[in-house]
Amino acid sequence: MLTLTDQVSPEAEIFDAVAVAAELEHLAAVHAGSERELRLAVSRQLRAALGRGRATAERLLIADRHGRRCAQRLAVMQDEIIRLLFEFAIKHLYPAQNPSEAERMAVVATGGYGRGVLAAGSDIDLLFLLPYKQTAWGESVAETILYCLWDMGLKVGHATRSVNECIRQAKADMTIRTSLLEARFLLGDRKLFDELVARFDKEVVQGTAAEFVAAKLAEREERHRRAGQSRYLVEPNVKDGKGGQRDLHTLYWIAKYVYRVREREELIAHGVYDPREYRRFRRCGDFLWAVRCHMHFLTGRAEERLSFDIQREIAVRLGYTEHPGLREVERFMKHYFLIAKDVGDLTAILCAKLEDSHAKAMPVLSRMLAKLRPRARHTLSESEDFVVDYNRINVADENVFKRDPVNLIRIFHLAQKYNLAFHPDAMHLATRSLKLIDQDLRENEEANRLFLEILTSKNDAETVLRRMNEAGVLGQFVPAFGRIVAMMQFNMYHHYTVDEHLVRCIGALSDIEAARTEDTKLANELMRSIQPRHRELLYVTLFLHDIAKGRIEDHSIAGARVARNLCPRLGFSPAETETVAWLIEVHLLMSTVAQSRDLSDRKTIENFSAAVQSVERLKLLTILTAADIKAVGPGVWNGWKAQLIRTLYYETEPVLTGGFSEVNRAQRVAVAQAEFRAELTDWTAAEVDAYLALHYPAYWLKVDLPHKLAHAQFLRSAAQAGKSLATTVSFPAARGVTELTVLAPDHPWLLSIIAGACAVAGANIVDAQIFTTTDGHALDTISVSREFELDEDEARRAARITDSIEKALRGDLKLPEVVAQRATAKGRLKAFAVPPEVTINNGWSNRYTMVEVTGLDRPGLLFEVTATLSKLNLNIASAHVATFGERVVDVFYVTDLFGAKITAATRQATIKRALIALLSPAPAVAERPAKGAAAG
């Protein structure tokens, strides 16, 4: 059951044990008689040797890019260090002159270290194995080894147990059992270790395979829940995430336990994997070890999250280069996600094998409400090619797909229709049959009909499409989708790979159609009012809207071209195909206008209406926008964005209907005020009337009800306290930001001062809602990035920020000098490059010039931009601040000091130059350029 490490070739040696042993002997002579000084000197000597060894291992890894070999080198070095410490301790510190039977010990590597592989920051797990109870000699030797390892800066997990204790605790604790499963003899009494191996196999393992498998799979599910359920998170946890190293370890633990294998190669002999699958197993492990070793070396710690700030450097270290449309880091991460998918496939194959041998219990695996006990194997009435095996669809024989390739689509259609999960054998065979999906099948009328029904079904289309994708069928049937499988976008805005985002969009649209989500009320209502046939168009549009990511040209234009080719295949008319293509071309338009334009400006609405052209298209675009943003990631869609989309919809609708609106502007203001009034049951009618008069119509249309109510209580408290300057803080859980609300007398530099004060306090603004009251005050809600997980910690930080804002507004803080000291990009932002862009446009407003600023976000940027605009003698009438991950898009509606638009070309050029200079990164000093650093 328990194995020795794979041997590392002598030329790969990174630690000269003979030389280090000689150095330790010299130290023993120098510090003779002073045990404490000797131990510290030994630790220092070994720590230096360890550092040199790691540096050599890192150089070798960069040269040969072989992750497993690097991990083995590090483990062999650790073995040698422990051996030297043991021998040094029993020779110079605690020699046993006449060792008794009790004074025997075996030092055993357990856990990950027991596998004979280590990353630079990995824990060292040791078992000091004794024949009976602990003796003074054994305790002293173990303590010497442990204290020296700790003094070297290593993280060491340890246990001192007899063989009896090991067996007893392994029976009771699954974690200890798993740790001992990987036990590896290092040094000492070999007979003790052999006794442990024999008894562990006989007394613990035999007859408990089903129990062990169930525990490990349950543990895996819980680990995925903690790390994030999707294996397509763009900053994955390489060790504990779905498709990561721990999943591979779990496969091997289960295989060792159930099939009693000693070497990985024996998995082939037991029929668990065929040679090709076993090569995938090895390849996955090698790749993940290379990534993880580089992560530990690069960060200098046990970093397991592959975060944005190290992805590019690791991509360069692993030899990835830029290709047209894809940066080196995106190609690396695509490879990572394909490996994660392979790990998932290998897990499914092992689970199927375990079920055949009854080592894994057969649960009810239906995704949906399978409340009745699953029936055993039976056939389906529609097709003799498929059977149902305990609520899972399986193939009737191995030739099902060869006989009729349409079955590669039909199996998913039937599973969806009958709420069946997928048998791993069926998915395995489907993956092996992908070559059958050729152009004939793609043009097959029945296959396309079945696919469209899957895509537009009300029965969990998201899950079925995800399984089609994981099996490889989706990417083969729609080749354009195959190009974006496992593709990540190197930015902080998107949480998932492109293919996972598209699949999640289908789920988001399904939720909207079924009105399962409260935060998409407008889209829910519109879904019921669109033309029936347009329902299918929406599903197809969402499936295709980002399908051309990673190409050189604009993905919206290229995506529309894909739609024009695919839609006729799916049975759509030319007019329907054009509707889909148009929606894809403009799928970002509504989001952009809602978040970065002045929705109370008539010209904004006229321009947007001209692009949309009809109420039906407006409805479709509104639903599409809501589903798209919801599927970006948790917290991206929020009440504020929902309200902006709603406002834009209702401002645009009357323009498209020639003046008639189902809910005109005045009525909508009245409805919003009535909703607000109904909530304030503890206010008198006079108080409410006075408060309603404080706000202009735009406020009632743009702000969601929870914020309106919070604002009312805040302004009331400030008035009662006689304050014209006040601040308050909230922590909306869904958005992951801290909201600061500021009440202050309005003046032209107000936004600039607030932004500067936030920068001084180290707060990064991600969006802002800015309103003016009728009594000459400004009511601004500023959202800043959150830094602490606990509200209590974040509240202390927020108090410092609000204190900074109030001091700045009172004139107690000199902002330009203080901001200049702090305005450097933080952590993850340094990994990105966003080309600065400034657009000056007079076509979006009849009264104002619109200045749109796009660039890499950094603390203090909003302050610098607003201060620059003011220095250019521009008045800021309104500002629309939005952040999309690392990319900031700030829009300002401005005039000159006389209230006129900026029309002179020379003046516009001056403004552009000043802002571009502000957004452009300072030249790097003595910094090695990364390969392929240009954006693709």
Side-chain angles (χ1 to χ4, degrees), residues 556-716:
S556 301
I557 304 299
R561 192 166 59 249
V562 171
R564 291 186 178 101
N565 290 328
L566 180 66
C567 287
R569 239 180 76 181
L570 299 176
F572 291 133
S573 69
E576 290 168 336
T577 297
E578 272 311 303
T579 298
V580 173
W582 177 83
L583 283 167
I584 292 170
E585 282 182 358
V586 302
H587 74 270
L588 296 173
L589 177 64
M590 191 169 201
S591 173
T592 301
V593 172
Q595 295 182 70
S596 61
R597 299 291 183 269
D598 186 351
L599 303 186
S600 60
D601 193 307
R602 181 72 181 172
K603 188 67 173 172
T604 296
I605 306 305
E606 289 174 356
N607 288 356
F608 181 65
S609 301
V612 175
Q613 297 182 347
S614 76
V615 173
E616 184 69 11
R617 280 186 165 189
L618 176 63
K619 290 178 180 178
L620 296 175
L621 186 56
T622 303
I623 299 166
L624 167 65
T625 302
D628 186 15
I629 297 176
K630 276 191 76 70
V632 167
V636 177
W637 175 263
N638 54 54
W640 172 56
K641 287 178 184 170
Q643 188 64 32
L644 290 176
I645 297 293
R646 189 181 188 89
T647 300
L648 179 55
Y649 177 86
Y650 282 123
E651 291 290 334
T652 306
E653 187 192 50
V655 178
L656 296 173
T657 55
F660 172 76
S661 171
E662 295 170 20
V663 187
N664 68 37
R665 186 182 177 92
Q667 285 176 325
R668 284 188 290 117
V669 171
V671 168
Q673 290 179 342
E675 286 177 345
F676 174 79
R677 186 187 292 272
E679 294 290 329
L680 292 180
T681 54
D682 58 335
W683 287 39
T684 66
E687 284 179 313
V688 176
D689 289 340
Y691 184 81
L692 294 179
L694 274 178
H695 295 290
Y696 293 102
Y699 174 86
W700 298 106
L701 296 177
K702 289 183 182 180
V703 180
D704 59 350
L705 184 58
H707 279 93
K708 287 173 190 161
L709 296 170
H711 289 164
Q713 299 299 347
F714 170 51
L715 266 64
R716 187 191 203 189

